[in-house]
Amino acid sequence: MAALAWLLIPLFAVVGAAIWGGWASRNRTTGDVAELAGYARFRDAMEKAGSGKGSAE
């Protein structure tokens, strides 16, 4: 029985590593669209805030 336990430990480690590897390499492009839109709004707000007063350039 002890030998079976020592064989199951690496098996569980391999299964856990495979699950983690699949999760870590998933496609994360869905949030990029919202972040890019937020960045564009931020840039627009900064341009409007900078154009109202004298520029330091």
Side-chain angles (χ1 to χ4, degrees):
M1 191 67 170
L4 181 62
W6 281 108
L7 290 174
L8 288 177
I9 291 171
L11 179 67
F12 287 137
V14 167
V15 170
I19 291 171
W20 178 83
W23 178 77
S25 67
R26 71 192 185 281
N27 189 2
R28 301 180 199 170
T29 59
T30 56
D32 290 345
V33 174
E35 293 213 10
L36 288 174
Y39 179 65
R41 288 192 306 271
F42 171 77
R43 275 193 335 221
D44 291 341
M46 289 294 109
E47 287 175 2
K48 288 178 186 175
S51 65
K53 297 181 179 177
S55 179
E57 293 178 15

